[in-house]
Amino acid sequence: MQGDRIRSEQDLYRHVLDAAAPGGGRAVEVGCGLGLGCALALEEYGPAAITGIDIHPQQLQRAREANSPLLEAQPDRLRFVLGAAEDLPLGDAEFDCLYSVEAAQHFPDLSAFAREAARVLRPGGRVAVTSFFSVGGAPESAERLAGLLDSFASGLDIARPVFRLSDALTEAGFADVRVASIGPQVWPGWDRWLARLWEPGTWPRNFLAAWEQQILDYYLVTATRP
């Protein structure tokens, strides 16, 4: 991955799914949105079944509509379920891997999410989470991010250092917890994508500025349930 570029949302999902290793097992995506990652995982990684979880009913309806051919063709392998990251509507030890792509910045309680991930994973199960977090040690990072980005000012995105998630996973009993910055592979491409929709000087273009100022970065966090 070093030196490579994540050029699309599909590339980002592949990077996370490579770490989550869903092949042959049962997988769950927390914060599935429109179901892009679920469909990609099903078609390219060969899980036995995949469940997409999202807290927004409208998103789940869109996911079902967007993936209606897959749902019709493989009803036993794909499903979308309403639920929160902190209270997953899933059985104990039901899954072999759990992943989440660009949703953890919204989770109000990372410790509760980590405990739920540990509960629903079988021994040996993998968790892989990628999202943006504040850079540890950056002075007044929450205030600075709120000044740059409306999503942080409104509370839609929550400014927290990535160690809050890695520590939560460790406290929940996970082993081999690893944190890797993938910012150099993500941010420049993200800004090029935003440039299609937003003019220079508008607040979404400040994501790149926040990274360049070393107050925000993109991370991949992985762990294993013993």
Side-chain angles (χ1 to χ4, degrees):
M1 186 63 200
Q2 186 65 34
D4 290 346
R5 292 292 180 266
I6 293 173
R7 296 180 174 86
S8 67
E9 190 174 1
Q10 289 88 346
D11 283 348
L12 183 59
Y13 269 105
R14 291 184 183 104
H15 189 55
V16 175
L17 288 163
D18 286 346
R26 297 179 63 85
V28 56
E29 179 179 356
V30 180
C32 68
L34 298 178
L36 170 67
C38 294
L40 189 150
L42 195 65
E43 293 175 337
E44 296 187 12
Y45 287 80
I50 188 159
T51 298
I53 301 284
D54 204 279
I55 198 171
H56 299 291
Q58 300 90 339
Q59 286 286 69
L60 288 177
Q61 181 59 34
R62 295 187 189 104
R64 293 184 181 111
E65 292 171 358
N67 295 283
S68 57
L70 271 176
L71 286 167
E72 184 175 352
Q74 303 188 61
D76 296 331
R77 294 186 67 209
L78 177 63
R79 63 173 176 162
F80 294 103
V81 178
L82 182 68
E86 301 80 15
D87 187 17
L88 296 171
L90 307 169
D92 295 353
E94 187 177 349
F95 294 92
D96 300 285
C97 81
L98 179 152
Y99 68 96
S100 181
V101 175
E102 204 173 304
Q105 76 276 9
H106 303 312
F107 298 168
D109 189 338
L110 292 176
S111 293
F113 163 67
R115 290 191 296 270
E116 281 293 89
R119 180 183 65 80
V120 304
L121 284 173
R122 296 169 181 153
R126 293 280 293 166
V127 60
V129 176
T130 192
S131 191
F132 46 86
F133 295 85
S134 61
V135 176
E140 301 177 343
S141 57
E143 292 81 2
R144 293 173 66 190
L145 286 169
L148 284 170
L149 297 161
D150 287 2
S151 57
F152 283 96
S154 69
L156 175 64
D157 295 330
I158 304 171
R160 292 169 296 202
V162 70
F163 69 75
R164 295 281 178 83
L165 176 57
S166 58
D167 285 356
L169 291 169
T170 299
E171 290 165 5
F174 282 94
D176 194 27
V177 180
R178 301 187 182 189
V179 177
S181 166
I182 58 172
Q185 291 78 40
V186 172
W187 294 113
W190 190 346
D191 189 66
R192 286 192 295 273
W193 182 85
L194 289 171
R196 300 183 304 173
L197 305 172
W198 299 88
E199 295 294 328
T202 54
W203 75 263
R205 302 297 300 279
N206 284 336
F207 275 101
L208 184 63
W211 174 58
E212 291 173 338
Q213 294 175 29
Q214 299 183 2
I215 55 175
L216 190 71
D217 203 357
Y218 219 102
Y219 296 92
L220 174 64
V221 183
T222 57
T224 301
R225 187 190 184 285

